[in-house]
Amino acid sequence: MKCRLFALIIGIDVFQDTSFKLCGAVNDANAVEDFLISELDVSKHRIVNLRNNAATRKAILAAMESLAENQEIYPTDPLLIYYAGHGAEALPPDAQWETSSPNGMIQMLVPHDFIRRGSSDERGQGILDIEISQILHHISTKKSDNITVIVDCCHSGSATRNGNPENTIDDTVVVRGIELPPGYTIPASLLSMKVQEGSGRRVSSSRAGPMTRGSMSSHVLLAACKQGELAVERKHRGAFTAALLTLFKRAGIEKLTYRDAVMRLPNLSMQNPQCEGVNQNRILFDCKVRSHLRTLFPIYPANEKANEYTLNAGEARGVTKGAVFNVYSDTLATVLVGSVIVVETHNFTSHCSPYKNRPFALPQPAYAEQIWLGDWANIRISIQSDALHALHTALSEDGPNSSKRPFHMVEDDPDIGITKHGGRVRFDIKDPICCHYGLTHMSFNDVEPNEVAYILYILKSASHFYGYLRHSSKNSDLTEKVHVECFELESYGSGLLRPKRGGQNLITHKTIFIDRSDTDSQRLWGYKITNDSEKNLHVALFYFDASNLQIREFDIIISSAECSQHWAVEQYSLPVTAARGNVDFSLPAKRSLTIGYGDGGGAARDYYLRRNQNVDVGFLKLYFSTTFIDYSGLIQDEPQRVRADAPVMVTNDFWDAMTIPVIIRRQPSANW
């Protein structure tokens, strides 16, 4: 059977401005087409090709937009958009359009008819990243999110500073990026966005709103380099595309995830390829996820000492003394070679020894998966023993795994109380902030007292939830130099979002208060994170839902391929993967990052109340560090009865975290 992949392949060597000339973009595009036909058995009629003078701005946008309406493309069909050519960047036309890039620029692809001097309208303009994002979001709503975007270009012609003509470094290396003149401006009309209606599915108190730029949940991006680097071509081929196709042919795409692909690329001089997108853990051109909730950390011999190991995860990742890890020789976690226990922790690494004094030979490479969090994540529970006697006995019984249960039974000062209400088990919340504002129990209201396995799973999820909610650094003052603001947003222009005029920061006394009524139309909120320190930072923002123990990422999250391998069931994020952890800083020194507006890449959020709820409480948790940390293992979904077998999960660098309560109230009463 022929592969049903549908592809749009763009390659531009020849431009109207002859100074832009490249030598390998068309060769790359042709090589991608040949790979699809010869290796994947894709029919020629399912490939749209745009080369050189056919690849105008109008033609590229029309070809992309047509993917959403093409009746030959079924919702289950994978889509590929490939671009090889020049990239560029310029200042936004609107001062209210906030950008987090160090130079304040927004990025674009360069079509055949691009005009270097700029223009007052659409003619001769580049294709802005925000335009592409909106189109991809529209395609994903019409078809599916099985969309792959591969871009072999950079966004700066910085090679010209070497004194060489235009975009050449030497006779053998050409840069796929151009410098625009200082006065180049983008017409404000190009920032208009088509508002696409989302499904409206509500998954918790914080969800993405449709009136925003499409988030990275719509597609996976494989990019030739990170911001500020050079994408180059050698011997009439792009270094990135050539290496990528070689890997695809050698390894086989049926065995590779997107994340695997970028990690397994060879070292490319001057560029570190990036993988971005919520679905980067899927198999290439497929909707299948290889595994669920597996987080593996590299582990190495410690200074060549026998039976001592260094784990590439430390306090910043929640590792504590006494945590236990299984060690595997492969990234699929199929070949177990032994287990280790953490004996000493540092910010980003941990010192380990063989678990239960059972030494083993550590292969290289080797990967460790946490199977026991340690005492730091244990929660305190109390059980209404008179009404739930059998459950109390079952949870109190000793057994082979009782020492690793994620809770302690207590009489006083519990984190969670288990009581009987209407014949069902109720999980009472004892967190002081939740109780103060009236959230007294979780949303699990159909649990029978005899469902011991399910109750244990909920308690395990609660241990993970509260362990990371309380997780903080003991030796950093970064929280004093990082500031978070929350704003209600309004639409302006043609669907752009910005903080409401005259709107104030909604964070008061380190808490966000949001009042909703039953007659409210959709309201959206965004965030601004400002780094007043002298350090470039990686940041990760999560929403902890106290009602159902769900932990979700916001759309700015960075995930590192150096620190771990992670395959998640579902995320709400914009993760980035790069070999050896060479990812862009998401929050440069003395700059701000926006979520829900500007170029932060995240979706605005609509906070709501569940049915029969008058108040809900959640927590924003912001992590920031000078060294990249993969926090993707924090994510957890609401505990379900059908569960996966996988467990929950010295340097000059720093890390820290801050927590901001979010109180959602229905028609606040006078006593609040």
Side-chain angles (χ1 to χ4, degrees):
M1 180 182 292
K2 288 282 188 180
C3 175
R4 289 199 55 83
L5 182 143
F6 198 99
L8 168 61
I9 304 176
I10 305 162
I12 312 174
D13 283 334
V14 179
F15 298 82
Q16 285 185 3
D17 188 327
T18 57
S19 66
F20 295 169
K21 183 173 176 59
L22 292 170
C23 301
V26 170
N27 289 340
D28 283 344
N30 292 340
V32 170
E33 180 186 16
D34 180 67
F35 172 79
L36 297 180
I37 294 172
S38 61
E39 300 289 336
L40 302 189
D41 200 23
V42 176
S43 299
K44 285 188 177 182
H45 79 276
R46 295 182 68 84
I47 301 175
V48 175
N49 287 293
L50 295 176
R51 306 285 192 273
N52 292 331
N53 60 359
T56 62
R57 171 182 161 82
K58 183 177 180 180
I60 293 173
L61 289 175
M64 292 179 65
E65 290 169 345
S66 69
L67 297 176
E69 309 302 333
N70 190 328
Q71 298 301 310
E72 292 187 24
I73 301 174
Y74 297 166
T76 55
D77 292 347
L79 298 175
L80 168 65
I81 299 174
Y82 174 85
Y83 173 86
H86 277 307
E89 58 185 7
L91 291 171
D94 189 339
Q96 296 186 69
W97 182 260
E98 303 210 30
T99 174
S100 59
S101 61
N103 57 9
M105 302 284 195
I106 56 177
Q107 300 176 338
M108 66 183 79
L109 302 182
V110 176
H112 168 78
D113 54 344
F114 184 80
I115 300 174
R116 185 198 291 266
R117 67 178 182 275
S119 64
S120 59
D121 55 24
E122 185 177 352
R123 291 172 297 177
Q125 292 291 335
I127 301 172
L128 305 186
D129 56 359
I130 189 173
E131 294 181 287
I132 298 171
S133 181
Q134 280 298 109
I135 293 172
L136 292 172
H137 175 68
H138 181 49
I139 297 172
S140 71
T141 59
K142 289 284 189 175
K143 302 298 182 181
S144 77
D145 60 4
N146 190 8
I147 304 172
T148 305
V149 181
I150 303 176
V151 178
D152 195 345
C153 71
C154 57
H155 297 91
S156 172
S158 53
T160 58
R161 291 195 290 268
N162 295 332
N164 297 311
E166 294 306 329
N167 56 307
T168 62
I169 293 179
D170 55 39
D171 292 338
T172 61
V173 179
V174 179
V175 177
R176 290 183 174 177
I178 59 175
E179 291 273 4
L180 298 180
Y184 185 93
T185 58
I186 300 171
S189 59
L190 290 192
L191 285 182
S192 65
M193 301 192 301
K194 298 176 182 178
V195 179
Q196 306 298 338
E197 292 298 331
S199 66
R201 182 173 67 97
R202 294 185 169 188
V203 292
S204 84
S205 298
S206 175
R207 66 177 174 85
M211 294 181 61
T212 63
R213 62 181 289 185
S215 72
M216 289 299 290
S217 62
S218 64
H219 63 286
V220 177
L221 170 67
L222 296 177
C225 61
K226 67 180 184 179
Q227 189 171 346
E229 291 184 337
L230 305 179
V232 301
E233 54 182 46
R234 294 183 175 89
K235 298 180 181 180
H236 304 288
R237 287 295 307 275
F240 170 60
T241 298
L244 193 65
L245 291 179
T246 298
L247 174 65
F248 287 174
K249 293 175 183 178
R250 184 181 72 245
I253 64 167
E254 72 281 357
K255 299 178 181 179
L256 286 175
T257 67
Y258 294 94
R259 190 182 193 119
D260 291 337
V262 77
M263 285 182 56
R264 293 176 60 175
L265 287 173
N267 291 342
L268 301 179
S269 176
M270 296 183 288
Q271 58 191 101
N272 289 282
Q274 309 280 295
C275 174
E276 305 182 17
V278 169
N279 298 316
Q280 61 180 266
N281 304 303
R282 290 177 176 174
I283 300 296
L284 284 163
F285 311 128
D286 203 330
C287 288
K288 296 178 182 177
V289 178
R290 184 167 59 195
S291 185
H292 298 289
L293 294 174
R294 306 298 296 272
T295 303
L296 303 182
F297 300 100
I299 187 169
Y300 314 96
N303 301 320
E304 300 182 354
K305 294 182 180 179
N307 302 324
E308 293 186 18
Y309 316 104
T310 298
L311 178 72
N312 198 15
E315 294 169 5
R317 186 55 180 78
V319 177
T320 58
K321 185 177 179 179
V324 179
F325 291 77
N326 278 343
V327 179
Y328 300 89
S329 61
D330 65 316
T331 57
L332 295 177
T334 58
V335 183
L336 178 67
V337 296
S339 300
V340 298
I341 185 169
V342 174
V343 296
E344 185 180 3
T345 60
H346 306 284
N347 276 345
F348 305 107
T349 61
S350 299
H351 184 70
C352 305
S353 62
Y355 183 52
K356 293 186 176 179
N357 295 315
R358 295 173 181 170
F360 59 92
L362 183 67
Q364 283 299 297
Y367 307 91
E369 178 182 33
Q370 192 164 12
I371 61 171
W372 171 235
L373 293 173
D375 289 341
W376 78 281
N378 277 0
I379 55 172
R380 298 160 56 87
I381 68 168
S382 65
I383 301 180
Q384 187 181 2
S385 58
D386 56 339
L388 296 168
H389 179 73
L391 178 61
H392 184 277
T393 301
L395 296 183
S396 303
E397 286 178 348
D398 292 332
N401 295 313
S402 61
S403 63
K404 291 187 177 181
R405 285 181 174 172
F407 57 82
H408 296 302
M409 304 277 284
V410 298
E411 295 292 335
D412 302 313
D413 194 26
D415 297 306
I416 295 174
I418 301 179
T419 58
K420 193 172 184 180
H421 184 77
R424 305 288 178 87
V425 174
R426 189 171 72 179
F427 297 86
D428 295 332
I429 300 172
K430 301 299 183 180
D431 176 83
I433 293 176
C434 293
C435 292
H436 177 75
Y437 291 105
L439 182 65
T440 58
H441 57 272
M442 298 181 194
S443 58
F444 313 112
N445 54 17
D446 62 347
V447 182
E448 300 290 345
N450 62 353
E451 294 185 276
V452 178
Y454 182 37
I455 293 169
L456 281 171
Y457 185 35
I458 292 173
L459 294 177
K460 187 174 186 179
S461 297
S463 172
H464 181 87
F465 182 94
Y466 284 105
Y468 281 108
L469 182 62
R470 297 162 180 168
H471 183 212
S472 62
S473 175
K474 299 180 178 64
N475 55 5
S476 171
D477 61 354
L478 280 177
T479 53
E480 303 300 321
K481 299 176 182 178
V482 176
H483 309 286
V484 181
E485 299 171 272
C486 175
F487 303 98
E488 187 167 358
L489 304 178
E490 66 180 3
S491 177
Y492 76 106
S494 299
L496 291 170
L497 293 172
R498 66 184 177 194
K500 279 190 172 182
R501 292 187 180 276
Q504 297 181 344
N505 176 16
L506 297 178
I507 299 179
T508 58
H509 305 295
K510 299 183 179 180
T511 302
I512 299 172
F513 295 94
I514 294 174
D515 296 329
R516 300 303 308 259
S517 71
D518 293 335
T519 58
D520 271 350
S521 58
Q522 185 185 55
R523 295 161 62 191
L524 298 175
W525 284 265
Y527 303 91
K528 183 175 183 178
I529 307 170
T530 301
N531 177 12
D532 287 332
S533 78
E534 302 291 337
K535 304 177 186 298
N536 294 326
L537 298 176
H538 299 282
V539 300
L541 182 63
F542 296 85
Y543 184 78
F544 286 64
D545 190 328
S547 287
N548 66 358
L549 303 175
Q550 193 177 52
I551 305 174
R552 299 189 298 135
E553 283 181 306
F554 278 72
D555 294 351
I556 57 159
I557 309 308
I558 304 290
S559 309
S560 170
E562 177 198 28
C563 299
S564 69
Q565 293 284 339
H566 174 75
W567 301 282
V569 177
E570 183 176 15
Q571 300 182 35
Y572 297 79
S573 63
L574 189 149
V576 180
T577 295
R580 297 163 298 281
N582 289 313
V583 301
D584 285 317
F585 286 102
S586 49
L587 186 55
K590 303 298 183 181
R591 293 200 65 84
S592 297
L593 171 70
T594 59
I595 306 170
Y597 65 102
D599 79 337
R605 322 302 290 191
D606 180 11
Y607 291 96
Y608 70 96
L609 289 164
R610 296 174 176 83
R611 183 179 299 176
N612 300 323
Q613 257 191 334
N614 288 321
V615 65
D616 198 7
V617 179
F619 299 88
L620 293 179
K621 180 88 173 189
L622 176 68
Y623 284 98
F624 36 92
S625 60
T626 53
T627 291
F628 185 83
I629 304 168
D630 182 357
Y631 283 110
S632 55
L634 271 68
I635 300 164
Q636 74 173 7
D637 213 340
E638 176 180 351
Q640 303 290 335
R641 284 182 172 81
V642 179
R643 51 161 296 187
D645 292 333
V648 175
M649 295 237 352
V650 182
T651 173
N652 290 324
D653 288 328
F654 302 92
W655 76 278
D656 212 334
M658 66 171 65
T659 303
I660 303 171
V662 181
I663 316 301
I664 308 103
R665 307 178 296 192
R666 192 186 307 277
Q667 297 178 339
S669 58
N671 62 340
W672 281 357

